[in-house]
Every structure is written in structure tokens, then in C-alpha cells.
Amino acid sequence: MVWIFILGTFLSYCVGQNQIQGVHQGCVSQPSCFACLRSPGCAWCKHKDFLKSGESSERRCDTAESLRTRRCEQMDIINPQSEQVFLKNNELSSNSDNVVQLKPQNLLFKLRVGVPQTFSVSFKRAEGYPIDLYYLMDLSFSMKDDLDTIKNLGQDILSTLKKVTQKVRIGFGSFVDKVALPYVNQVKAKKNNPCPNRLNTCQPAFSFQNILGLTKDVAEFKTRVSNQIISGNLDSPEAGFDAIMQAAVCQGLIGWNNVTRILVYTSDDTFHIAGDGRLAGIFEPHDGMCHLNVSGFYDGTKYDYPSVGHLARVLAANNIQLIFAVTEDGVAAYKALSKLIPQSVVGVLKNDSSNVVQLISEAYNNLSSTILLEHHGAPSGLDVSYRSHCTPGEGDNTPWQRRGECMNVKLNQQVDFTVSLNISTCLKEKQTFSLKLQGMSETLKVSVETLCDCNCHDREEQSTHCNENGTLTCGICSCDEGHLGQRCECERPKDMTSADSMDAACRQDNSQLCSGHGSCECGKCVCQGTHHGNFCQCDDNSCARHNNMLCGGNGQCECGTCKCKANYTGSACDCSTLTDQCRTVGKLCNGQGTCQCNQCQCNKEFVGINCSKIANACPKFLACVMCELNNKNVKSNCSQPCGSIKPTWVKGPQEFPCSEDTISYKVELFPNGNIRIFYADLPRSIDKTYVIIGSSVSSIIFIGIAVIIISRLMLELHYRREYASFLKAKEDEVWEDTKNPLFQDATTVVMNPMHIQED
């Protein structure tokens, strides 16, 4: 069961994923070629003789394979296939004269409704790609020491960026706040010199000023920045959003090129947002246009501060990446803001901005290592989803997402995306949308057309196929006024206005035409086989069966319903109304059940063919027997366990169906409904334990003795054979006196060493 559940879950998941990606599951037939091509997986057969008489036009709409199986020639099948055309597909290149970072560049798709198409997109950041960096600085009084530091950092910033690319330009702008109460003091003296004390000299406040457009001249940057004087305002938040908006939309005055664009925003405090302008009586929302005067100043007293969403859209539209370089106190607020603005990061700036060069370098690396691919301006009904392949070995197991995303991408590392297009509606004309990477100017243009038109090329007016009463188009007849039918062969009745209304006359309760068992001809069903009726709804072979026989052999099948013979009832005439099988000597089913279909259906506590047995009789009456046994010689009341039943003692040992300890008993139900209990002693039985042990020991001893006797007999037999062999060998012996040729008589020679033999 567990494996079945796991398999079912897996199949459900696979089907769910196919549905998410728009994979069609077969074809849902449609009545016209136009509607058929809008149904995923469907094709249309235009051959005029493809359908049989009375068949619905929906039968022309099916899968191409099914149509071929039904003998529709390939040339007659209308099944346009989705198509992908590369209009521009230059290879990726880091050549400074022809930089290509996104591939392909222009595509054309011809799509079928509901049939997804995929294509690949590749990106590789070009080595040495030019950078434009615009430095936007808060000139409120609290940034006085930061301004002194920035005056000498132009060369350091350029040198750091030139480690990435040799083509770098740098610009400078500043901001304070709107020149209106309650942001800036309107007293003339304070307005001219907004410093908090008289010991310092400040320039008048302003919303934003473009001090230096983007340039390669480091000396010019240092000169312009050195000429800047600090300013001041009353409240803590600044007009940073006004400054960012103007720096982004004033393309010509700032001098942005079609390169990597970076906007560095430095401040030690928070920012005003949309709605804050009402404090100064400024209600008109920002229009997102450039409003710099000839001196590069922006007068912020006409428009309210931009909203976060407006700012995010403008930065994305102009491919500007934003770096927030802010002090520790404002990091939390700017990190929250950065989450709402694509391609933006936050860095912690020291109080005197001494680490700004390192901060810019780290922030740029973070921005350039994050690749986000998105689409813009997609037509309604087109679903675009992405699968990211961030590393070379990454396969097709990554999930589909609403945008392509890769993190920690290194320089010269290529990343790929699989993009899926699935359209759900037909387009009136070709439409174009774009895919682009956040912060990058290069785009991929995608044009989409839908294949919804049936170009059958067989239009024939007053066609003979339509009995000269209609026009033949894509294999079906469009009948003239006053005619209906598959071939316009029917004169239209007054109550029928179309072929659909004629077909409706052949449908019962909005079901299939003629119940799927016939054809509709001129509003009437022509049935097939054994089916009959106004809607071919009757079949005399479709009744219920019993014992593999129609109507159980006890009735007649009429229009799917059994008409039973006498004494039979039920959907399959399988229920007898007789009671002979339920009858006993007394009542039906012993009075302990009901007779249904000539079979006893016993009450809860009774079983048996005729309900003649009590269910669970042994445990049910055990208490009664034990009460009677324990009080056999004592007059005691056993009415509670026994009721009106008086158990009867049977002399002599008996073995009844029920037993308890040394007692056996039985419970009998009599035809009159009375219950009697008989009980007796159980026959004594030998203790099987001792029998088993004794038998086992005896068997072991017997086997041991037998083994000893057999082994002793075999040994005795062996001895007798050996002895007989010995006697026989002794009789065969012959003794003769002979001299041993090897024997020599013993001779002893004694030499006296002291004896000298005389010559």
C-alpha cells in the first residue's frame, strides 16, 4: 500500500509539473478549424469526405496521429508547427569595437496556443567594458569633513576602476534639500548662510546641482570638487531622491554613455520620500522629467519627492546601478530601501569618507557578480518563465522561475538561461517585447506571432458537396439561409436557427449526439446496432447481469431496465419473492430474522441458514453455566446471568462444543424460540506432557540399547571371521629343515698383544 501511495504521489507531481509548463495532455475537440487550432495538441482534417454521415464536425478535430490513424492524408491535416527564427545571433565578444555580451539579439517566434517553446540565452560580461561613474554627494553641514576627503580621491577612484577597465569616466553632483520650510530656514541671513554657527561659511541650500558631467579629466574633477562649499538645512532627512531622479533622467546633461552606469550616493542621514513635500505645501507628484537649468541646478519647490517605486522604475529603465555609501547610523534604512530598488547595494561609509574608494570597489564587484534576466512589455496572455544554468555542469533540474538569476558570477564566466514562452490567446498582430539584464543596456528583442488561422485553400461556394446549398471551407459546409445539416441536406425547421440547434434536438439532457450510439440527420437520430429510441438511449443488451446472465435469466431487458418475471424483483431480477428457503418447522427464520430474496437475514445475535444458531453462544452463556455449577447444591438465584433459562445437568462425561476447565456445555435453540443449556463433566484426559516426556525418554533409551546390541553383534561377527581366517592359515602352513644360506658359524679369535711370535 505504501508503494502504491508513493507511485500515485509521483505521478500526480509529474502531471502537475506538465500542467505548470503548459504541456498539453491530448486534444479537446472543437467544432471548427479556427477553434481547433486554439486547442493545444489538436489538428484539423479538411478532407471533405472524412466524416461519416451524421458525424459531428468535432470529429475532424483530434491529434494529428489519431487523424492519420483514421485515414486522413497528411496533405489534408491542418497542424501548423511552432517556429523559431534567429533574426540576429552574433557571437559573444569582448572586442572594444564590437562588444557583444548577450546572445542572441533578435528572435521571431510563431507560436501555437498552449504549446510552449523554449530557447537559450547566454551572457558573458565583456572584459574591459567601459564604466561611467557619477558621484552624488550630500553637502549638508554634517558632511563637511567628507567633502575635504573627496576633493583628493578622484584619482584614487579612477585608478581602482581601471583595474577592471581602461575606459572610465567620472562625474560629480551634490544635493541638500528643498529650499522651503520646514526643510531650509527662510530667514534671509540664514538662507544665504545656512551654517549652524557664524564661524563657518556655507553656500545657500539647493535640491540638486550637477557640478561636473562625466569626464575622463581627473584634474577637472579635482578642481570642480575643490571649489565646492558645504551647505546646511534644518531637518535631518535630505533631498536624495530628487538628486537621484535628476541624475538618472538628465541623460544628455550628465553625459551618460551606453556603457556600465554606476551612481554612487553618499550621505550620513536618511531621505525624504513621496508625500513629505506636503509639509511645504508641495502636492504635485514628480513627473519623472529632467528639470535642470543652465547652471545645473534643480528647483525642487514645484514637485514632491519621488516615490521609491517611481525611482526604481527610472533607474531600471536607464540601466543605472546604484551604490549607497552611507554611515553606520543609516545602514538599516538604506538596506531596506535597497531591497526595493533592483541592482542596488549598500556599503558602510566611515564618518570622514576615507574608505569610499574601497567601498566603491567592493560594491561594484557585488553588483557585477549578480546577473538578473527579466522581460519587459510582454503581450497579454504570454507566460514567460526562466531556468538558470549558472555553472557549466548545471543541468535541467533547476526549477522554473519568473526571472533568470545567477549569483557570484566571476569575470569571464558565461551563464546561460533557458526561456520558455507559452501563449494562451491569439494575437491580432505581431507583437514585440524585450529581455534584458538589470543594469545592462543590451537587450534581446523577441517578436511573437500566433498560428491561429486555418489556411485550407479549399473554399468553394455553392459546392456540390454541400448540395449546392452552402459554401465548403476546411472540409465543412457553411449552409445558406434555410438549410442545415452536415452537407446542408436538411431544410431548416422554423424552430431551428442553426446547425447547433439541430444537433441539440439529437441530444438528451445536453449529452452526446444520439447518446454516442448513432448519427444526427436533420435533427433526428439514426441509431446503430441494437440501440434504439429517440436519442438512441436504449440498449436491450445493457441491463444488469446476475450469474453472468442478462437479468439473471428471470426477466426481459427493455431499454436498459429489467422487466422481471413473476416471483422475481431487483435490478437484475436476482431477488426471489418466495419464502420456501426461509421456512422452518416453526416461524420464518426461526422467528429470529427476516426473509429477503428467499434468504434469511438474521437478527444481530443469531446466525445460520435459518437463523437457528446463537452467535457466540459459548462465551455468552458461560456465566450462566458457572453460576449453576457453583451453586449446584445450594439454592441460589442465577436469574441475572441465566434469565429464564434453567441449565440441565447431563450424567456421565460428555464432550460438548463449549468447554471451561472440567466442564463442557452446549446451547440449543428450539423451533419454538426457546433456548436450553446442557452441561456435563469433561472426559478425563491423560496429561500429554508426561506422555510426551516419557515417550521421548523411552525412545532415547530404546534407540541406545538397539545401537549397542547391533554394534556388539557386528563386532562379534568380525571376530569370528578373523578367527576362522587364522585357523585356515595355520592349516596351510608347511615346516621343513633347511639351512639358511646367509648363516655363518660363529668364530672367536683372541690375540695376545704381549705375545711375540718366534720366527
Side-chain angles (χ1 to χ4, degrees):
M1 291 299 292
V2 174
W3 286 105
I4 293 174
F5 172 76
I6 294 173
L7 179 60
T9 304
F10 174 75
L11 292 176
S12 299
Y13 170 79
C14 292
V15 172
Q17 288 297 310
N18 285 341
Q19 291 174 347
I20 289 173
Q21 290 305 313
V23 178
H24 48 270
Q25 306 293 323
C27 167
V28 178
S29 297
Q30 302 296 330
S32 67
C33 182
F34 181 78
C36 185
L37 295 190
R38 284 162 172 74
S39 185
C42 291
W44 180 267
C45 182
K46 70 174 185 177
H47 195 281
K48 60 184 180 180
D49 295 321
F50 178 67
L51 297 181
K52 297 178 182 178
S53 177
E55 277 191 306
S56 171
S57 297
E58 294 179 355
R59 295 279 289 160
R60 291 183 177 273
C61 184
D62 206 338
T63 62
E65 182 179 356
S66 296
L67 294 177
R68 285 191 291 268
T69 302
R70 291 164 52 200
R71 299 184 179 180
C72 182
E73 298 295 334
Q74 183 64 40
M75 61 182 295
D76 293 323
I77 296 177
I78 306 299
N79 186 29
Q81 299 296 310
S82 298
E83 185 180 355
Q84 173 183 338
V85 180
F86 288 92
L87 301 179
K88 188 176 182 181
N89 190 26
N90 294 336
E91 294 296 328
L92 300 175
S93 172
S94 296
N95 189 333
S96 58
D97 296 330
N98 183 27
V99 175
V100 179
Q101 300 181 104
L102 190 64
K103 175 190 176 184
Q105 297 80 39
N106 199 344
L107 287 173
L108 170 63
F109 279 95
K110 297 180 180 180
L111 300 177
R112 281 285 301 272
V113 171
V115 181
Q117 288 292 305
T118 60
F119 63 98
S120 297
V121 177
S122 300
F123 171 79
K124 183 178 181 182
R125 190 180 298 277
E127 188 175 358
Y129 197 66
I131 296 175
D132 281 354
L133 185 143
Y134 192 79
Y135 197 95
L136 190 58
M137 183 176 179
D138 176 7
L139 282 188
S140 60
F141 191 78
S142 57
M143 293 286 287
K144 184 176 182 300
D145 54 344
D146 300 80
L147 179 60
D148 295 335
T149 303
I150 293 300
K151 291 177 180 179
N152 299 310
L153 289 180
Q155 183 60 52
D156 293 340
I157 294 173
L158 284 177
S159 299
T160 300
L161 292 178
K162 282 189 176 182
K163 294 179 181 179
V164 179
T165 176
Q166 294 300 314
K167 297 180 180 180
V168 182
R169 297 192 306 157
I170 190 169
F172 186 82
S174 59
F175 62 92
V176 184
D177 213 335
K178 293 183 183 294
V179 186
L181 280 174
Y183 317 119
V184 175
N185 197 325
Q186 296 301 299
V187 176
K188 186 175 181 179
K190 278 292 185 180
K191 191 174 181 180
N192 293 330
N193 184 14
C195 287
N197 56 68
R198 297 180 180 179
L199 300 177
N200 299 103
T201 301
C202 296
Q203 65 171 318
F206 52 90
S207 289
F208 168 71
Q209 181 187 12
N210 175 32
I211 297 169
L212 177 64
L214 292 163
T215 179
K216 297 179 181 178
D217 193 343
V218 179
E220 181 69 14
F221 179 86
K222 183 175 181 180
T223 300
R224 292 290 188 91
V225 176
S226 298
N227 293 334
Q228 296 306 302
I229 302 174
I230 206 70
S231 184
N233 59 332
L234 293 176
D235 62 344
S236 296
E238 319 295 358
F241 280 15
D242 276 342
I244 294 174
M245 177 64 75
Q246 294 303 303
V249 299
C250 297
Q251 298 278 312
L253 296 175
I254 301 299
W256 293 110
N257 282 340
N258 192 20
V259 296
T260 300
R261 300 174 176 181
I262 300 175
L263 180 61
V264 180
Y265 173 101
T266 60
S267 179
D268 64 348
D269 220 318
T270 56
F271 43 84
H272 281 294
I273 60 175
D276 286 357
R278 296 183 179 185
L279 297 174
I282 304 172
F283 295 94
E284 188 173 352
H286 203 288
D287 62 355
M289 304 298 291
C290 179
H291 297 287
L292 296 183
N293 60 23
V294 292
S295 300
F297 282 98
Y298 167 66
D299 180 9
T301 58
K302 182 178 181 181
Y303 296 103
D304 191 8
Y305 300 100
S307 66
V308 176
H310 190 186
L311 207 61
R313 290 193 299 272
V314 168
L315 289 171
N318 290 282
N319 305 310
I320 296 175
Q321 304 176 62
L322 185 58
I323 299 174
F324 291 112
V326 296
T327 55
E328 186 71 38
D329 295 339
V331 168
Y334 281 94
K335 281 190 175 181
L337 176 62
S338 179
K339 292 179 181 179
L340 304 175
I341 300 179
Q343 288 296 97
S344 65
V345 292
V346 179
V348 181
L349 187 68
K350 291 184 178 180
N351 291 331
D352 60 354
S353 297
S354 58
N355 68 326
V356 69
V357 176
Q358 181 183 357
L359 188 152
I360 292 173
S361 177
E362 293 175 354
Y364 173 74
N365 290 333
N366 290 335
L367 286 172
S368 61
S369 66
T370 301
I371 306 300
L372 300 175
L373 181 64
E374 298 176 323
H375 56 276
H376 301 274
S380 177
L382 179 66
D383 178 74
V384 185
S385 53
Y386 302 82
R387 179 175 275 167
S388 305
H389 310 285
C390 303
T391 56
E394 199 165 3
D396 294 334
N397 296 324
T398 55
W400 291 98
Q401 297 175 319
R402 303 314 302 173
R403 68 177 184 180
E405 182 174 352
C406 285
M407 311 295 289
N408 301 318
V409 179
K410 299 178 181 179
L411 189 65
N412 292 325
Q413 177 184 341
Q414 179 175 322
V415 293
D416 300 299
F417 304 93
T418 300
V419 184
S420 174
L421 304 180
N422 189 14
I423 196 159
S424 58
T425 58
C426 290
L427 301 177
K428 294 181 179 179
E429 57 185 8
K430 181 172 68 175
Q431 295 192 30
T432 302
F433 68 101
S434 63
L435 271 67
K436 61 180 298 185
L437 294 153
Q438 284 190 7
M440 303 294 293
S441 59
E442 293 187 39
T443 61
L444 163 57
K445 291 184 179 180
V446 181
S447 300
V448 177
E449 297 178 0
T450 50
L451 301 172
C452 295
D453 296 328
C454 291
N455 299 317
C456 298
H457 306 295
D458 64 346
R459 181 179 176 84
E460 182 181 341
E461 296 183 357
Q462 302 301 311
S463 172
T464 55
H465 182 76
C466 303
N467 291 296
E468 298 183 352
N469 295 320
T471 302
L472 179 67
T473 306
C474 294
I476 60 176
C477 291
S478 299
C479 300
D480 296 337
E481 185 72 21
H483 292 84
L484 294 172
Q486 188 184 79
R487 297 192 177 186
C488 305
E489 71 276 16
C490 306
E491 291 187 4
R492 187 183 70 190
K494 294 181 179 179
D495 58 344
M496 294 184 184
T497 58
S498 65
D500 291 337
S501 61
M502 185 179 68
D503 287 347
C506 295
R507 299 180 189 270
Q508 184 179 29
D509 300 328
N510 294 323
S511 60
Q512 289 180 300
L513 279 174
C514 301
S515 303
H517 303 300
S519 59
C520 184
E521 297 182 6
C522 298
K524 294 183 179 180
C525 286
V526 178
C527 302
Q528 299 172 348
T530 59
H531 291 84
H532 59 92
N534 293 335
F535 303 100
C536 303
Q537 76 277 16
C538 295
D539 182 6
D540 293 342
N541 290 321
S542 63
C543 290
R545 293 175 178 269
H546 180 65
N547 292 331
N548 203 27
M549 298 176 66
L550 202 64
C551 297
N554 301 314
Q556 187 72 28
C557 182
E558 296 181 6
C559 197
T561 303
C562 287
K563 302 295 182 182
C564 301
K565 297 178 182 179
N567 299 327
Y568 286 96
T569 185
S571 61
C573 300
D574 55 342
C575 183
S576 173
T577 58
L578 300 176
T579 60
D580 57 299
Q581 298 298 322
C582 299
R583 192 169 298 281
T584 56
V585 177
K587 306 174 184 178
L588 286 176
C589 301
N590 271 313
Q592 306 298 338
T594 58
C595 188
Q596 298 178 9
C597 298
N598 210 12
Q599 292 182 348
C600 285
Q601 301 296 322
C602 301
N603 295 337
K604 183 177 180 181
E605 297 181 351
F606 297 89
V607 294
I609 296 176
N610 295 316
C611 304
S612 58
K613 297 181 180 179
I614 300 173
N616 300 317
C618 292
K620 184 176 181 180
F621 292 97
L622 174 62
C624 176
V625 174
M626 297 307 295
C627 178
E628 184 70 22
L629 183 65
N630 294 334
N631 299 286
K632 185 175 182 181
N633 299 321
V634 181
K635 290 185 178 180
S636 178
N637 186 8
C638 290
S639 60
Q640 184 174 357
C642 296
S644 61
I645 302 172
K646 181 65 177 176
T648 302
W649 170 258
V650 180
K651 293 182 179 181
Q654 300 290 335
E655 192 168 354
F656 293 133
C658 307
S659 63
E660 178 67 23
D661 198 10
T662 61
I663 298 298
S664 69
Y665 60 97
K666 66 177 180 178
V667 183
E668 291 186 354
L669 177 65
F670 289 87
N672 58 5
N674 293 332
I675 298 174
R676 295 193 63 183
I677 301 175
F678 299 92
Y679 69 102
D681 290 328
L682 272 172
R684 291 182 177 274
S685 60
I686 301 173
D687 191 340
K688 295 181 180 180
T689 303
Y690 294 109
V691 173
I692 293 172
I693 294 174
S695 300
S696 300
V697 172
S698 301
S699 299
I700 293 172
I701 293 173
F702 175 77
I703 293 172
I705 293 173
V707 170
I708 292 172
I709 292 173
I710 293 172
S711 61
R712 186 68 186 86
L713 290 174
M714 293 180 67
L715 187 62
E716 182 66 24
L717 180 62
H718 176 70
Y719 286 164
R720 289 181 179 274
R721 287 178 179 174
E722 289 294 325
Y723 183 69
S725 299
F726 170 73
L727 293 177
K728 183 177 181 182
K730 188 175 180 181
E731 291 177 356
D732 295 339
E733 288 180 355
V734 178
W735 297 95
E736 295 180 357
D737 292 333
T738 57
K739 185 176 182 179
N740 189 349
L742 299 177
F743 176 76
Q744 293 182 358
D745 292 335
T747 302
T748 302
V749 179
V750 178
M751 298 293 296
N752 188 349
M754 299 298 297
H755 174 72
I756 299 174
Q757 187 175 0
E758 295 180 358
D759 294 332

